[in-house]
Amino acid sequence: MSAAVLETNAITPAAERLAAFARVTTDDVDEAAEQIGRIFCPHDLKPAQARADGFSARHNCADFDGFSINYVAYGGSVGIDPGCLERFFLVQVPLAGSARIRAGLSELDVAPARAASLLSPTVPTRMIWADCAQAILLLDRRLVEQRAAALSGRATGVVEFDPAIDLEAPSGRALQSSLAGLMTLAERLGPSERLSPAAMADWRELLLDHLLNGQRHGLSDAIRRFSGQAERLPRALRAARDHLADNAGEPLDLEELACVSGIGIRALQLGFRRHFGVSISQMLLDMRLAGLHARLAQASAGISITDLAFDLGFTHLGRMAGAYREKFGETPSATLRRRMS
């Protein structure tokens, strides 16, 4: 276990994290609901005891590009009902106390070093925290859904996770270690310092990988198929997929692809549908779109979207732009503007 995780697990209820990033400090229930609701989303907040004896609320938040790391603590026992989060995913790792969480039809108990939760924006959620402090990662919904689409070969759509994170499993320990490291990094930087764009991108990639490849969700099987990780993937299909990837900028030649794979064109077409869940042309389109998105996200000033598109094998710019918007939720020019801003 990393030093960062040990440091996080050693936190006592009185020893808060991210103290320099304080947003909310109050013992008033209505004030806590209003102010924390502005940072996360509007929600009902009700102490278990009518007089709210012992109630307190603390929320510290370090913001990054597309994600934030938070320390949230409630004194006493409180019920929290945000409904559907709508705009973001939340990973909640308990540092002290305990909580019971109901997400959709699932109900789970979380506690330090044992279990954490992953809340999806489209799943209604209710929680009861008991003298609980949690490290909370917020990830922008669009960021997660776009990456899930790119990994699975599907159009951008809803992603819903299994809400339970086993902190004793390798994937859960790795996620907890990264969140502990991010929290410690934020504390060392302080509110006045910012991560470099490269470091910010590295953290986004790491966090997305933890969630989409480490935690179970509705597109997990599609991602495994599309990446060739599914069990017993025929060698012919692996060869064909790799050839497509290596020659994504070239016109699709089914005869050449069949020759490379060693099976007939019809068998190849059926194999792609069965094992990858998409047609050969759809997979090639997705590879080209992913390549365009990656180049635009790293583009330098003066780059031409048209030149990039032609280099990647696109011949019809209108259809390319429509497919790009469907997959990534924005136009190529919008991606480039965000890169230049």
Side-chain angles (χ1 to χ4, degrees), residues 17 74 108 114 125-126 185 195 262 304:
R17 304 299 304 269
Y74 287 108
L108 58 144
R114 287 175 31 219
T125 301
R126 289 181 295 168
L185 174 62
L195 284 177
S304 165

Side-chain angles (χ1 to χ4, degrees), residues 11-300:
I11 295 301
T12 64
E16 69 191 58
R17 304 299 304 269
L18 299 169
F21 298 85
R23 296 283 192 90
V24 180
T25 305
T26 183
D27 56 6
D28 182 272
V29 176
D30 292 336
E31 183 181 3
E34 179 184 358
Q35 293 190 16
I36 294 178
R38 290 176 183 172
I39 302 170
F40 283 162
C41 64
H43 60 279
D44 291 332
L45 181 66
K46 294 181 179 179
Q49 302 299 322
R51 295 182 58 192
D53 292 338
F55 174 84
S56 63
R58 183 78 174 184
H59 186 173
N60 306 331
C61 174
D63 263 321
F64 299 95
D65 185 11
F67 61 97
S68 66
I69 187 69
N70 304 261
Y71 171 88
V72 179
Y74 287 108
S77 181
V78 297
I80 307 168
D81 185 356
C84 292
L85 304 176
E86 299 292 348
R87 297 181 297 103
F88 50 79
F89 293 83
L90 284 185
V91 177
Q92 302 185 130
V93 178
L95 305 178
S98 62
R100 171 161 291 184
I101 296 168
R102 184 173 184 84
L105 299 178
S106 300
E107 190 164 312
L108 58 144
D109 293 311
V110 301
R114 287 175 31 219
S117 61
L118 204 175
L119 308 182
S120 301
T122 54
V123 178
T125 301
R126 289 181 295 168
M127 301 175 279
I128 297 176
W129 289 31
D131 287 316
C132 187
Q134 302 205 52
I136 299 181
L137 171 71
L138 181 152
L139 268 170
D140 180 75
R141 175 179 178 177
R142 188 174 68 169
L143 192 69
V144 176
E145 291 180 347
Q146 288 179 353
R147 181 54 54 86
L151 291 173
S152 65
R154 305 286 181 86
T156 303
V158 169
V159 178
E160 294 182 348
F161 285 86
D162 181 337
I165 299 176
D166 182 359
L167 294 179
E168 298 176 319
S171 59
R173 289 198 301 270
L175 175 58
Q176 183 181 25
S177 178
S178 291
L179 296 195
L182 179 59
M183 184 172 277
T184 300
L185 174 62
E187 289 173 331
R188 289 173 179 166
L189 288 173
S192 61
E193 297 292 332
R194 299 293 293 172
L195 284 177
S196 69
M200 194 90 70
D202 287 344
W203 272 105
R204 278 196 301 270
E205 293 300 316
L206 178 63
L207 296 171
L208 288 169
D209 181 64
H210 279 312
L211 264 61
L212 292 169
N213 292 315
Q215 304 301 320
R216 184 72 186 171
H217 55 85
L219 289 178
S220 291
D221 290 339
I223 288 174
R224 291 181 68 247
R225 285 196 302 269
F226 193 67
S227 65
Q229 298 174 31
E231 294 180 3
R232 296 183 296 277
L233 181 66
R235 181 180 301 174
L237 294 183
R238 288 200 302 271
R241 181 204 61 213
D242 293 345
H243 183 77
L244 273 184
D246 292 340
N247 300 275
E250 301 299 323
L252 176 60
D253 187 331
L254 289 179
E255 290 187 7
E256 180 181 354
L257 199 62
C259 182
V260 167
S261 65
I263 60 176
I265 292 176
R266 184 58 179 158
L268 202 55
Q269 291 170 327
L270 292 173
F272 266 66
R273 286 287 188 186
R274 178 181 177 185
H275 290 276
F276 297 121
V278 294
S279 68
I280 297 172
S281 59
Q282 286 172 325
M283 178 176 282
L284 178 59
L285 172 62
D286 190 79
M287 289 174 173
R288 289 172 174 172
L289 291 172
L292 179 58
H293 186 265
R295 293 197 190 185
L296 290 174
Q298 300 175 4
S300 56

Side-chain angles (χ1 to χ4, degrees), residues 294-333:
R295 293 197 190 185
L296 290 174
Q298 300 175 4
S300 56
I303 197 72
S304 165
I305 295 176
T306 299
D307 289 345
L308 283 181
F310 284 138
D311 286 345
L312 290 166
F314 292 104
T315 56
H316 193 292
L317 295 180
R319 283 197 290 267
M320 176 276 292
Y324 188 97
R325 184 186 300 108
E326 182 180 5
K327 185 170 185 61
F328 296 108
E330 63 183 11
T331 63
S333 57

